Amino acid sequence: MRKTTAPSSKLSSRQPPRLAALTFPAFRLHTWRVNWRGAVSVGGFLLLWELLVRFGGGGFEGIPTLAQVLSTFWNKYLTSDRYWQSWLVSFERVGYGFSLAQLLGIPLGLLLGTRRVFHEVVYPLVELLRPIPPLAWVPLSILFWPTAELSIIFITFIGPFFIIVINVHDAVRSLRKEHLWLARSLGATRGYAFRRIILPALIPSIAVGMTLGIAVSWNVVIAAEMIASDVGLGRLTWEGYVSHTATTVIVGMISIGLAGYLSALVVSYAERRLMPWHKVT
Amino acid sequence: MAGATTQLGPHASFPNEASAGARLAVRDVSKTYDTDGASVEALKGCSIEVEAGAFVAIVGPSGCGKSTLLNMIAGFDTVSGGEIYMDGRLVAAPGLPPRAGPDRVVVFQNGALFPWKTVLENVSYGPVRQRTLTRKQAENKAVELLRACKLDAVAGAYPAQLSSGMQRRVEIARALMNEPRVLLLDEPFRAMDSVSKTTMHRHLLDMYRISRKTILFITHDLEEAIYLADSVIVMTTRPAMIKLVISVKLQRPRHPRILFSREYLELKREAAESVHEEARKAFERGEREQA
């Protein structure tokens, strides 16, 4: 009996648990910090561009300088409603396409990973369609969809769609069966185990699919906006190309780069919210 | 066995005697896998009787089918032959769908804490899912249990933030939270360095002393098995069969200093000799070639 008195006396004087006080010290809010090295590298890249075009000669001769691009931007686009509308419209299209890709791609990946017969029937088709560049879909898309807007959204959808399907599919196949076993042995029903064990276990792979997918959505925005559209960052770049205005092309390129970067920030914020257990530092 | 009969009063955060260890009977159990037409015999005619509250270790070479046996007892896998009983109740037989339950919880080799749940959520998971406690009650009980296991400081942490030893301790706590009658440990300390291992051994022995569960502990480490268990079952390579049962009559509670006692060393020497003898016989009979 002597052995048990020590621990039980300690527990008898217990207080109600204070959960807030139990929070692990390493779990703190992410504080925003300026990445000076990154800023220097971007600045260095712009400087290099300016210098190469001015003094590099050779292939650089035809390329506008940074100063020329900035001045075009300042005079032609900064106060142009059409330019800023392009931002909004492109964001909207990419947003629709990307979200649809998640909404349809995640369940398809789940089905492919969990249903054997479904996998045998559908997977070869996915593998056949996957390598087709989104640009190749443009003519058929125009023929099929009743409006240009729908065709555009279809193109921004098809890019990230297969990425998310493959990511989820692979993730389902590499799920750890121990998690499912344990959930079942601890009392979870089959349905509950599916929703609350398989899905959270897939979130990291879904997140990877999202990170890659958002970039691809922006990659295909020019192909998408070639389709009879008067506004959009892709359209702007395309117009710059057909009218041989290199400065406009570069304004479009930088705009798409920035838009993609901003979207990636949003996606990575969403990922952090979805996976609080990941990278808690 | 000293450990099985030590009288301990009900502990505030541990189940009382009513839910202590169960008697476990594995009778002539075998397992055959059918993969692509070829059938592989993983386990053959395995019979083990475990007294209620006993600590039994199963030792065997890696990949010999020890985990298969454990998964069948846990209800994760079907048996191809024989029966498994818990306190006289049939839990597994051929044709019976495998049914896992909170009365026999496994702690896995690589750990299976849910990475997306905090320590507290992991530990309170069982009773909440079984609806035996409300979330609030389960969390209170989990906090108590974590405190008794000296894990309360990490209750809000995610598993990835903890060392592997700490993770395994949380897993043992999660298992105990369900008041299982049999605790199944599948090489839980395999990947640990010897210092952490020693700490984990002490922790497990403490948990065993307080909770009085029946424990089935799988390992490939003979010394670990002798130090922890009341009896050590030595298995052969595939198809796994029981070669030898070593009865360990060391006093409980066990302390690391036992590791240097003459009794332990003597036992270890004898065990090692018979294991090597078995290995030599097996080698001479060419049994390894079948593996």
Side-chain angles (χ1 to χ4, degrees):
Chain A
M1 288 314 283
R2 193 175 51 86
K3 287 272 188 285
T4 39
T5 46
S8 44
S9 67
K10 205 162 116 198
L11 281 154
S12 61
S13 63
R14 65 181 185 269
Q15 302 140 340
R18 287 168 302 134
L19 295 186
L22 296 172
T23 316
F24 201 60
F27 185 54
R28 280 198 210 97
L29 265 177
H30 182 80
T31 46
W32 201 75
R33 184 177 66 83
V34 178
N35 175 2
W36 290 109
R37 292 185 182 93
V40 167
S41 115
V42 172
F45 172 78
L46 294 176
L47 189 69
L48 188 68
W49 165 22
E50 183 75 25
L51 292 177
L52 277 174
V53 173
R54 273 178 197 237
F55 307 110
F60 289 105
E61 260 167 23
I63 295 174
T65 63
L66 173 63
Q68 284 170 322
V69 172
L70 282 178
S71 107
T72 307
F73 176 73
W74 185 265
N75 297 324
K76 234 176 122 185
Y77 295 107
L78 184 63
T79 52
S80 147
D81 285 345
R82 188 166 170 251
Y83 173 73
W84 292 110
Q85 206 197 336
S86 293
W87 270 78
L88 281 180
V89 169
S90 289
F91 256 103
E92 203 176 307
R93 287 164 181 160
V94 166
Y96 277 127
F98 175 75
S99 308
L100 269 174
Q102 307 298 320
L103 277 170
L104 299 176
I106 293 170
L108 182 62
L110 269 175
L111 281 172
L112 281 174
T114 51
R115 309 283 150 155
R116 223 172 63 92
V117 177
F118 187 83
H119 182 271
E120 281 172 11
V121 174
V122 177
Y123 194 70
L125 198 61
V126 170
E127 284 292 89
L128 271 173
L129 295 178
R130 197 159 68 102
I132 299 174
L135 186 63
W137 286 100
V138 168
L140 297 184
S141 187
I142 295 170
L143 290 175
F144 180 80
W145 295 100
T147 69
E149 201 57 32
L150 283 175
S151 310
I152 292 168
I153 290 170
F154 175 75
I155 299 300
T156 57
F157 154 83
I158 204 84
F161 176 69
F162 290 110
I163 291 175
I164 190 77
V165 170
I166 296 300
N167 262 289
V168 173
H169 166 260
D170 287 352
V172 173
R173 302 210 131 194
S174 57
L175 275 179
R176 287 193 51 205
K177 58 185 184 308
E178 285 95 337
H179 284 151
L180 268 178
W181 281 351
L182 252 161
R184 296 281 285 146
S185 90
L186 296 185
T189 60
R190 208 174 282 276
Y192 185 92
F194 181 81
R195 274 177 301 161
R196 304 303 289 270
I197 304 299
I198 293 189
L199 288 183
L202 291 180
I203 290 179
S205 310
I206 293 176
V208 171
M210 278 167 71
T211 309
L212 298 171
I214 192 71
V216 171
S217 277
W218 282 105
N219 282 171
V220 300
V221 81
I222 294 182
E225 290 181 344
M226 274 176 6
I227 306 167
S229 158
D230 50 353
V231 280
L233 294 176
R235 183 73 197 177
L236 179 82
T237 315
W238 179 245
E239 280 172 3
Y241 168 57
V242 291
S243 65
H244 304 286
T245 325
T247 45
T248 303
V249 171
I250 294 175
V251 168
M253 284 167 75
I254 293 175
S255 304
I256 293 172
L258 281 174
Y261 183 62
L262 288 175
S263 319
L265 286 182
V266 173
V267 167
S268 90
Y269 174 77
E271 282 168 5
R272 277 203 305 275
R273 292 298 300 271
L274 275 170
M275 312 185 281
W277 68 92
H278 249 232
K279 288 193 236 161
V280 259
T281 44
Chain B
M1 292 298 122
T5 51
T6 310
Q7 286 302 306
L8 289 162
H11 192 280
S13 59
F14 283 95
N16 53 28
E17 279 175 56
S19 65
R23 205 171 69 245
L24 187 70
V26 176
R27 299 212 177 117
D28 202 27
V29 165
S30 59
K31 178 72 187 176
T32 314
Y33 286 107
D34 278 306
T35 39
D36 299 326
S39 73
V40 179
E41 203 171 22
L43 198 72
K44 195 174 164 184
C46 177
S47 295
I48 304 170
E49 299 280 335
V50 184
E51 286 171 56
F55 194 136
V56 173
I58 301 179
V59 185
S62 302
C64 80
K66 303 177 300 243
S67 297
T68 307
L69 176 63
L70 202 81
N71 287 342
M72 291 190 296
I73 296 172
F76 299 147
D77 208 343
T78 54
V79 299
S80 308
E83 292 111 34
I84 299 171
Y85 296 90
M86 247 178 82
D87 271 344
R89 189 171 59 89
L90 184 70
V91 292
L96 219 64
R99 197 134 95 236
D103 52 349
R104 34 213 157 103
V105 181
V106 181
V107 174
F108 287 104
Q109 190 181 114
N110 300 315
L113 289 172
F114 303 129
W116 53 89
K117 287 182 181 293
T118 63
V119 167
L120 187 67
E121 287 165 346
N122 263 292
V123 174
S124 43
Y125 185 84
V128 173
R129 291 281 26 101
Q130 296 151 40
R131 296 176 206 281
T132 50
L133 295 177
T134 65
R135 185 172 296 276
K136 189 80 211 140
Q137 287 170 329
E139 282 186 353
N140 288 345
K141 187 181 166 190
V143 168
E144 250 177 57
L145 183 61
L146 287 172
R147 199 171 287 159
C149 304
K150 299 190 176 65
L151 287 164
D152 48 336
V154 296
Y158 287 102
Q161 292 169 288
L162 308 179
S163 69
S164 64
M166 198 85 110
Q167 287 180 19
R168 232 34 61 81
R169 278 165 62 190
V170 173
E171 254 190 293
I172 293 170
R174 177 172 72 175
L176 290 175
M177 180 76 180
N178 296 280
E179 312 197 349
R181 314 211 42 214
V182 177
L183 196 57
L184 303 162
L185 300 157
D186 189 356
E187 298 204 46
F189 313 139
R190 183 176 189 156
M192 282 181 204
D193 62 89
S194 64
V195 177
S196 327
K197 227 177 185 175
T198 311
T199 320
M200 289 307 297
H201 288 157
R202 288 196 69 172
H203 179 74
L204 180 63
L205 286 171
D206 279 347
M207 291 295 122
Y208 173 59
R209 180 170 57 80
I210 304 167
S211 67
R212 309 178 60 248
K213 304 296 177 200
T214 304
I215 295 186
L216 210 57
F217 186 95
I218 282 183
T219 177
H220 61 274
D221 180 347
L222 186 61
E223 297 182 23
E224 176 179 66
I226 295 171
Y227 174 45
L228 297 173
D230 298 316
S231 44
V232 177
I233 296 170
V234 181
M235 302 198 88
T236 62
T237 48
R238 240 163 217 247
M241 284 186 287
I242 295 173
K243 266 285 167 186
L244 185 69
V245 180
I246 303 163
S247 175
V248 182
K249 293 191 168 62
L250 292 172
Q251 218 172 344
R252 284 195 192 273
R254 290 193 190 157
H255 189 272
R257 79 174 89 83
I258 281 181
L259 293 171
F260 303 100
S261 73
R262 191 186 296 165
E263 277 169 295
Y264 172 82
L265 293 172
E266 188 64 20
L267 207 54
K268 192 173 112 181
R269 192 180 57 77
E270 279 171 24
E273 270 173 15
S274 30
V275 168
H276 290 153
E277 177 67 13
E278 287 303 324
R280 193 182 55 79
K281 275 195 229 156
F283 181 77
E284 281 171 5
R285 280 199 302 267
E287 261 178 36
R288 286 197 75 89
E289 264 67 52
Q290 295 171 14

